[in-house]
Amino acid sequence: MPVLLGSHGLTGHHGARAAAHGRRQERARARGGTRQRRRLVWLQQQATTEQMVRRQIRGLMSLHLLALRLGVDIETILACLQEEANGSGAGVWFGAVVPASAAAVAGLEKRTFVVHATTEGECGGDTEECAICFEDFEDGEEVAVMPCSHRHEFHVKCIGKWLGRSNTCPLCRYQLPTSGDVQ
């Protein structure tokens, strides 16, 4: 004679297995462990990983473009960013608050920009735009030349304003004297 189990109408041995299976499924659902849930979590993790990789690639591309724009290598930019993150780059990177001395700014070499310059006293060559305002130099325009080894060129007004806030070359971090420096 079949034994009636609960109100489900399940009978005998098969009913007990079905009831146990149902309890396991309920426990799995309660803790979120169903196969579909695990698959969904795995897909979300994959999507998150893919987003992180895309973000890193975009960051590296931006870093590469910045390096090209500034005319420096990526290692220099990374070293500057590391110094800034460690707190040891105060006054050395773009956010510097130590202005150059007025004498150092006034003493910057001035040259006439000429497209495809070939004579002494003219500048041009590879540089065709001011790295501060990103506007092209015009033929015959006076530009200021930093005393750094790269001889970076800028609009006179742009570099004057820059050096009023920071004593460093915007491209290579060459430091000009500050008013606090002993001459």
Side-chain angles (χ1 to χ4, degrees), residues 158-180:
C158 294
I159 196 64
K161 188 174 179 179
W162 180 277
L163 293 173
R165 293 186 211 134
S166 170
N167 70 323
T168 60
C169 174
L171 297 178
C172 68
R173 301 185 307 136
Y174 174 85
Q175 292 186 348
L176 289 176
T178 64
S179 57

Side-chain angles (χ1 to χ4, degrees), residues 87-105:
S88 61
V92 179
W93 188 239
F94 295 115
V97 293
V98 181
S101 70
V105 176

Side-chain angles (χ1 to χ4, degrees), residues 62-139:
S62 297
L63 187 62
H64 178 70
L65 292 173
L66 177 65
L68 288 175
R69 184 68 131 172
L70 296 177
V72 297
D73 57 27
I74 291 175
E75 288 78 18
T76 301
I77 293 174
L78 291 174
C80 294
L81 291 172
Q82 186 65 41
E83 286 176 12
E84 191 72 23
N86 292 339
S88 61
V92 179
W93 188 239
F94 295 115
V97 293
V98 181
S101 70
V105 176
L108 288 179
E109 178 184 351
K110 310 288 190 292
R111 288 190 171 188
T112 303
F113 180 82
V114 178
V115 178
H116 306 297
T118 56
T119 63
E120 189 64 34
E122 295 177 338
C123 58
D126 295 338
T127 306
E128 295 182 2
E129 68 180 8
C130 175
I132 297 172
C133 69
F134 300 118
E135 291 184 15
D136 289 336
F137 294 126
E138 294 187 20
D139 202 20

Side-chain angles (χ1 to χ4, degrees), residues 5-16:
L5 295 176
S7 62
H8 300 293
L10 301 175
T11 60
H13 178 69
H14 295 293

